Amino acid sequence: MSAESNRTNWISVILYLFAGVMLALAIILLIAMIGAANALPANQIFFQMFGLGELANLIIRPLQSALINAGILAAVLMTAIAALLFIAGRMNAAQVRLSERVRRLEERMASEKPE
């Protein structure tokens, strides 16, 4: 029974690690998307080479907003997934503790019961 208990405890640890990695990736993704959005105005030279400088503002500003909004949305969704993974780890650990308590209770009841 202890081998099964240890294996289940490792599942909780793995879920906690996945939650941490997902949260870190959410932060990195948000920083990267905001950085990419801030770097877009440097691409105005491409439009100015072809005489489309006025068109650059019509394309770059909405694209900046879209990148920032997509980054925020992805970060929020990844944070929600990280929270769900953490909750799954906590539930798994609680289930292991509960099954261990039930096993001990059954052993105690069996030893006290006269046959």
Side-chain angles (χ1 to χ4, degrees):
M1 182 74 180
S2 73
E4 182 179 330
S5 174
N6 287 338
R7 186 175 51 224
T8 308
N9 287 333
W10 278 107
I11 290 172
S12 297
V13 171
I14 290 171
L15 288 170
Y16 293 147
L17 288 175
F18 281 158
V21 168
M22 185 67 73
L23 188 60
L25 288 176
I27 293 169
I28 291 170
L29 177 72
L30 182 62
I31 291 170
M33 293 291 271
I34 290 173
N38 289 335
L40 277 178
N43 293 327
Q44 276 185 331
I45 191 80
F46 174 75
F47 290 99
Q48 291 172 355
M49 283 184 348
F50 298 108
L52 302 171
E54 297 300 321
L55 186 61
N57 290 332
L58 294 175
I59 293 174
I60 290 178
R61 286 186 184 157
L63 188 57
Q64 276 183 313
S65 297
L67 279 174
I68 291 172
N69 290 337
I72 291 171
L73 180 66
V76 167
L77 289 176
M78 289 175 74
T79 302
I81 292 171
L84 290 173
L85 285 169
F86 182 78
I87 290 169
R90 296 282 295 173
M91 288 176 61
N92 191 317
Q95 182 268 334
V96 168
R97 287 191 305 270
L98 180 63
S99 65
E100 182 62 26
R101 287 177 24 212
V102 167
R103 185 188 61 79
R104 282 186 282 160
L105 179 63
E106 287 174 348
E107 287 175 357
R108 189 173 66 182
M109 288 175 61
S111 67
E112 291 177 359
K113 182 179 177 183
E115 294 184 23

